[in-house]
Amino acid sequence: MRGAVRPGPLQDARRRDRPHAGRLRPLGGTSPLGRPTLKVSTMATTATGSSTYTHDHGHGHVDDRSFIRKYIFSTDHKIIGIQFLIMSLSFLLLGGTLAMVMRWQLGFPGKPLPGGTLLPDTYTSNGVVLPEFYNSAVTMHGTFMVFFAIMPLLVGVFGNYLIPLKIGAPDMAFPRINMASFWTAVPAGLLMLAGFFVEGGSAAAGWTSYAPLSARSDLTGVHLGQIFWCLSLIILGLSSIMGSFNYITTVINMRAPGMNWFRLPLSIWALFVTACLVLLAIPVLSGAAILLLFDQTIGTHFFDPQAGGQPLLWQHLFWFFGHPEVYILILPGMGMVSDIIANGARKPIFGYTSMVLAIIAIGFLGWGVWGHHMFQSGMNPTLGTTFMISTLLIAVPSAIKTFNWLGTIWEGNITFHVPMLHALAFVSMFVIGGLSGVFMAASPFDIYIHDTYFIVAHLHYVLFGGSLFAIFAAVTYWYPKMFGRMMNPFWGKVHFWLTLVFYNCTFFPMHQLGLHGHMRRIYDPTQYAFLREVQPVNVFISISAFCLFATQFLFAANFILSWFKGEKAPMNPWLDNGLEWTVASPPPHGNFGDVVPTVYRGPYEYSSPHSDQDYLPQNLPMPGGMGAAHPQPAGD
Amino acid sequence: MAHAAMPEDVMLPPPSRAAGAGVYTEKLGMWIFLGSEVMFFTALIGTYVILRFAHPSSWKPPGQVLNIPVTAVNTFLLICSSVTMVKAFAAVQDGFLKQLRLWLLATVIIGASFVGVQVYEYTHLIEKGFIPSEGLYGSTFYTMTGFHGFHVTIGVLCMIFVTQKAFRGKYSQADHRGVEVIGLYWHFVDLVWIILFTIVYLI
Ligand code: HEM
Ligand SMILES: [Cu+2]
């Protein structure tokens, strides 16, 4: 009966069904958005007087942990998330610096690198970058960015920070394993870094470490560095596996009452599927890295063709991990951007269920496409066709997500707060990157552009334009929750616009370079006559890249200064429905105190016709004013 | 009336059942973790299969280099340790704590013997000149059996931990999660060995 009168899912209600259609009602006070804000706690009390909504953390909870247990060897998922944040932002800076070295060399080959004379002789000669150093910069840039910056930023930081808070759990399922996960990631990073200081320099066979280049030190002159690369990734693998099975268990078993699967925020869905991918993909990389390590150290011959080994085997193992990995690097971003876009548009996310299904579909399809990295490897061409078709298929769920984002902002009353700007940039940049992906998925085209700058353009559109913009969005969005202060919105906007412009100036021309035949990972483009004519493009890219890099210091400054000086953040600065916004900023140890939050609906009830407010938090039993007429939930 | 038109999601109080898989967290975590172990061994076994198909000539006929009888006995030992593990779990489920200790102890001893026999096997093979750098055969043999042995060793260490807890009376009929969880891991490692024994030694 109830089913029959149900007017249809709220998630997709159109604007005319919604009295406020994305407009915030002026209700006193000004939020950091510069918009009127609600007094959340008053609202909750008038609605029901229920203690599930307002939490009194003032008494009964004395945090008597020592400094070390609280901030260093902490088992609190929030602290671990922030630790990951600091670690991976540092590696992001390092990776960026290495990119500047590369861009200097590509833009101005043969000119001394500024500050280059300070580097050891094995890196530069008279300040000019040596080919060996160039190779190691390329390799380490990719490695640090993928494994130590983007992946921990998305999975380590937001997986940790958001999952328990958003599902209403006091912490992760295994807090001590969670702590171990961070404290294995740190030595892994340091070990990778140590490569720079040993004889022969760091690994230099590319972030993909193709064998036999990586397996035989006589080919590159790098021995210890490559060993460190393998060891570091094996250790990091342990960290990732500890993290991922923790996340999965937490999401399955620790959701608050009422938080059923289809009320989970999309960010949690995405992080959940990502954790499954990490769990199943990382061990394959660990296995491959172990085999490579044995080839280098104890003389096995897995990848050495002279002794019957198979270099192609490395590629298969690496990309069998590697393609799920690229989805690990984008799915959490997609999820968090979905949350932010719904918030910024003040509308429910369009097509919630199809979003979830698309995430799951990507999670499955991602396993069957790895061969698209190997069209040119000498793999059987019939196999190539299969991989081409599966790759084209995977564009479908990605497109579904894109159209749903567009559907969400359609007719919304958009609040252009900084996270929203980054989220919108994410969508647009991901579309460009996704389209070039579809190009490359077609093997006839890929044969032409494989291993050129077209690939570099593609991967930066999805990884910088996609993942990193999502990270900027997420960091600014959850910063108030993490640190209890707002980031400066003005400098946030300046940073956003400059980044967007310089980013496109840097990476868009790379498509053109790639089509012109400019190879990836070359030391000096001007040694080829056909590339000399596009050298001005390289110069333009390099200058844009320097500006892009410089712009990031605005973000760093904003991040650090706001930590100390930022405006104090209210409990719910973005007027969001998620559970994390119903507790103090920052939330206390144990998150929800003694109260188990109870969840009544999905997280996207913006402009709900059932509320006289503009939004409807997930744990509010009844919309304002109607509460008294309805039974209280059990245990309340 | 307005109420009747409201979607279920807004109207209904949340379901009273607790969210979750109906399995306690430690057990669920172990199952999920084993998923990642499966992928790890899949990578190793896949490598083996591919290399062996590509270069069958690098492999000697079964039994020529590797000592199948010794390893067969060792395999039998490991299977026995799975049986003792099952016995230990059954005992604690029935509340027989003394039997639990004995069966756990037996599992530790048999597991450790397995590792011991493997070390013995390695030393002999190495003396005979069959070393990891001995072509693809040596490479794959040592990597695969070595990583399995490593897993058994970790298993034995955890088993010792569980056993000492059992001796201190930490498990009861009502709460014996540790026993069940380590049991899952133990059976998994056992299962992997049966596959490895077949493809590395027998085929
Ligand atoms: C619409 C979906 C996508 C399609 C169809 C697609 C397709 C492809 C193809 C065919 C290649 C191989 C090109 C070659 O080497 O010749 C490639 C490379 C690459 N893709 Fe994508 N891609 C997609 C999305 C993504 C996403 C979301 C990410 C990461 C966030 C990503 C990251 C990468 C990276 C890092 C490479 C380069 C790997 C290397 O170093 O060789 N792609 N993509
Ligand atoms: Cu791929």
Side-chain angles (χ1 to χ4, degrees):
Chain A
M1 175 57 199
R2 200 181 274 282
V5 293
R6 196 177 158 166
L10 267 180
Q11 309 270 9
D12 292 335
R14 280 166 309 155
R15 186 167 85 161
R16 68 176 135 79
D17 306 335
R18 298 186 164 264
H20 307 306
R23 203 151 299 130
L24 298 181
R25 299 198 319 137
L27 265 182
T30 334
S31 83
L33 303 174
R35 291 194 167 215
T37 175
L38 308 167
K39 290 279 182 293
V40 174
S41 45
T42 357
M43 179 179 114
T45 2
T46 47
T48 60
S50 141
S51 64
T52 39
Y53 193 59
T54 37
H55 303 297
D56 192 351
H57 299 288
H59 55 83
H61 190 96
V62 183
D63 196 345
D64 53 1
R65 293 168 300 157
S66 68
F67 180 81
I68 297 209
R69 300 292 297 162
K70 205 164 163 182
Y71 294 114
I72 300 179
F73 293 106
S74 175
T75 53
D76 183 343
H77 72 101
K78 298 184 292 295
I79 302 293
I80 297 173
I82 292 171
Q83 288 173 326
F84 265 116
L85 181 63
I86 294 165
M87 178 195 93
S88 32
L89 284 178
S90 321
F91 283 125
L92 188 70
L93 181 65
L94 176 69
T97 313
L98 290 169
M100 294 307 107
V101 173
M102 284 149 60
R103 270 333 307 183
W104 178 267
Q105 169 62 26
L106 290 171
F108 313 100
K111 301 246 170 55
L113 176 77
T117 41
L118 302 173
L119 292 169
D121 291 347
T122 44
Y123 285 18
T124 52
S125 96
N126 297 325
V128 179
V129 174
L130 289 173
E132 291 78 13
F133 180 42
Y134 182 81
N135 284 346
S136 98
V138 173
T139 305
M140 287 293 139
H141 166 71
T143 306
F144 276 122
M145 285 305 199
V146 169
F147 294 105
F148 292 97
I150 307 287
M151 195 172 158
L153 271 170
L154 289 169
V155 187
V157 177
F158 291 103
N160 261 312
Y161 201 86
L162 295 184
I163 288 177
L165 275 171
K166 273 193 168 295
I167 65 173
D171 207 319
M172 285 287 176
F174 307 106
R176 270 183 296 172
I177 292 182
N178 204 17
M179 174 178 87
S181 160
F182 176 71
W183 286 110
T184 39
V186 172
L190 294 180
L191 189 62
M192 190 62 84
L193 200 58
F196 281 115
F197 304 101
V198 295
E199 210 195 315
S202 71
W207 81 280
T208 52
S209 273
Y210 275 12
L213 201 58
S214 54
R216 297 207 3 220
S217 56
D218 50 325
L219 298 177
T220 49
V222 178
H223 186 54
L224 269 180
Q226 191 66 47
I227 292 178
F228 283 8
W229 188 90
C230 292
L231 275 175
S232 166
L233 288 192
I234 294 166
I235 300 172
L236 187 73
L238 285 177
S239 158
S240 308
I241 290 167
M242 286 193 273
S244 61
F245 87 84
N246 215 338
Y247 296 173
I248 298 174
T249 316
T250 309
V251 174
I252 293 180
N253 249 11
M254 305 204 23
R255 281 168 289 130
M259 180 62 96
N260 43 33
W261 284 98
F262 284 88
R263 286 178 186 169
L264 281 180
L266 288 173
S267 50
I268 300 304
W269 260 111
L271 284 163
F272 177 74
V273 173
T274 305
C276 297
L277 293 180
V278 172
L279 182 88
L280 301 176
I282 294 286
V284 178
L285 174 71
S286 307
I290 286 169
L291 302 183
L292 184 59
L293 181 68
F294 285 172
D295 270 12
Q296 294 154 356
T297 49
I298 59 173
T300 58
H301 306 289
F302 292 104
F303 305 121
D304 181 1
Q306 279 169 359
Q310 298 248 329
L312 206 56
L313 177 64
W314 169 265
Q315 294 191 25
H316 276 296
L317 287 173
F318 186 86
W319 289 117
F320 185 75
F321 144 80
H323 194 85
E325 168 74 12
V326 307
Y327 284 103
I328 292 168
L329 298 172
I330 197 78
L331 276 177
M334 289 177 160
M336 295 188 295
V337 159
S338 305
D339 284 9
I340 294 169
I341 285 194
N343 176 289
R346 309 308 294 172
K347 273 183 64 193
I349 193 83
F350 186 87
Y352 174 85
T353 318
S354 64
M355 286 297 231
V356 172
L357 294 179
I359 294 174
I360 297 174
I362 290 177
F364 275 103
L365 289 173
W367 292 98
V369 300
W370 79 92
H372 64 216
H373 296 274
M374 300 168 61
F375 288 141
Q376 283 283 62
S377 65
M379 181 179 73
N380 185 330
T382 320
L383 217 51
T385 312
T386 321
F387 280 121
M388 167 172 140
I389 293 168
S390 58
T391 307
L392 290 171
L393 268 183
I394 208 168
V396 174
S398 313
I400 291 178
K401 298 194 73 70
T402 308
F403 284 114
N404 282 345
W405 288 318
L406 296 184
T408 307
I409 48 182
W410 182 259
E411 294 204 323
N413 188 353
I414 303 176
T415 314
F416 289 101
H417 50 57
V418 182
M420 183 65 174
L421 290 175
H422 283 288
L424 293 174
F426 167 95
V427 176
S428 1
M429 298 303 113
F430 178 74
V431 168
I432 301 181
L435 284 179
S436 60
V438 176
F439 276 50
M440 296 163 5
S443 54
F445 180 72
D446 187 70
I447 287 169
Y448 182 65
I449 47 88
H450 176 68
D451 251 336
T452 67
Y453 258 79
F454 197 89
I455 308 299
V456 181
H458 161 72
L459 73 90
H460 286 91
Y461 264 91
V462 282
L463 279 174
F464 194 130
S467 313
L468 199 58
F469 272 110
I471 288 166
F472 285 140
V475 169
T476 32
Y477 196 71
W478 279 284
Y479 189 96
K481 199 41 60 183
M482 290 179 169
F483 300 105
R485 288 178 188 273
M486 307 297 296
M487 281 176 88
N488 184 309
F490 173 76
W491 288 109
K493 282 183 187 166
V494 173
H495 164 252
F496 167 76
W497 285 110
L498 291 178
T499 305
L500 188 68
V501 170
F502 291 134
Y503 159 77
N504 277 293
C505 292
T506 305
F507 293 106
F508 201 82
M510 289 186 185
H511 291 108
Q512 187 206 341
L513 283 185
L515 292 175
H516 193 83
H518 193 307
M519 301 75 102
R520 270 175 94 167
R521 296 173 178 161
I522 53 169
Y523 169 65
D524 181 359
T526 56
Q527 63 181 302
Y528 300 95
F530 78 105
L531 289 183
R532 242 167 265 148
E533 58 189 87
V534 288
Q535 187 56 21
V537 181
N538 261 330
V539 174
F540 176 76
I541 291 178
S542 289
I543 293 175
S544 310
F546 300 145
C547 298
L548 181 62
F549 184 67
T551 306
Q552 302 319 308
F553 287 96
L554 283 180
F555 181 80
N558 195 350
F559 185 93
I560 295 169
L561 291 179
S562 303
W563 195 336
F564 302 104
K565 295 233 160 71
E567 195 190 326
K568 280 253 186 288
M571 189 192 257
N572 189 359
W574 316 112
L575 312 183
D576 190 302
N577 295 324
L579 291 181
E580 77 273 34
W581 303 106
T582 62
V583 290
S585 308
H589 186 47
N591 297 348
F592 298 93
D594 306 329
V595 204
V596 180
T598 311
V599 175
Y600 296 85
R601 63 187 68 78
Y604 299 114
E605 287 310 319
Y606 296 107
S607 315
S608 166
H610 305 295
S611 162
D612 35 4
Q613 323 296 350
D614 157 76
Y615 63 113
L616 197 48
Q618 280 189 280
N619 68 340
L620 189 66
M622 289 305 151
M626 300 192 291
H630 294 280
Q632 296 286 306
D636 193 44
Chain B
M1 195 220 95
H3 293 170
M6 277 175 70
E8 218 166 352
D9 241 19
V10 177
M11 285 295 291
L12 291 184
S16 56
R17 77 186 156 77
V23 180
Y24 60 88
T25 303
E26 289 84 348
K27 189 172 168 186
L28 180 66
M30 181 49 91
W31 273 113
I32 295 170
F33 172 70
L34 290 182
S36 118
E37 291 283 37
V38 167
M39 291 306 283
F40 178 74
F41 280 105
T42 306
L44 292 189
I45 293 173
T47 301
Y48 175 83
V49 172
I50 288 171
L51 291 178
R52 185 144 180 194
F53 267 113
H55 284 269
S57 58
S58 303
W59 270 261
K60 298 270 173 354
Q64 197 167 317
V65 178
L66 305 176
N67 188 337
I68 294 181
V70 170
T71 313
V73 172
N74 214 13
T75 308
F76 178 69
L77 274 183
L78 199 62
I79 294 174
C80 286
S81 78
S82 255
V83 175
T84 55
M85 188 66 232
V86 170
K87 283 294 199 182
F89 181 57
V92 73
Q93 270 188 321
D94 294 341
F96 301 142
L97 298 185
K98 202 167 149 211
Q99 290 188 18
L100 164 74
R101 287 173 210 151
L102 291 180
W103 286 121
L104 279 180
L105 204 60
T107 316
V108 169
I109 293 171
I110 303 178
S113 334
F114 176 87
V115 180
V117 173
Q118 209 176 19
V119 171
Y120 164 84
E121 181 196 17
Y122 275 21
T123 37
H124 265 256
L125 287 173
I126 290 173
E127 270 170 22
K128 280 195 342 199
F130 182 67
I131 50 173
S133 52
E134 185 65 29
L136 291 179
Y137 195 15
S139 305
T140 50
F141 170 78
Y142 282 100
T143 313
M144 292 169 75
T145 57
F147 269 97
H148 179 267
F150 176 68
H151 278 79
V152 179
T153 313
I154 302 269
V156 170
L157 292 178
C158 297
M159 196 66 80
I160 292 175
F161 178 74
V162 169
T163 311
Q164 80 49 48
K165 270 183 92 175
F167 272 87
R168 290 190 303 143
K170 298 277 178 185
Y171 298 115
S172 65
Q173 190 170 8
D175 181 7
H176 46 265
R177 285 172 292 177
V179 181
E180 191 175 12
V181 170
I182 185 72
L184 286 177
Y185 178 79
W186 195 258
H187 297 314
F188 168 78
V189 173
D190 202 356
L191 189 76
V192 170
W193 179 250
I194 293 172
I195 300 173
L196 289 186
F197 180 57
T198 315
I199 63 172
V200 175
Y201 288 80
L202 299 184
I203 297 182

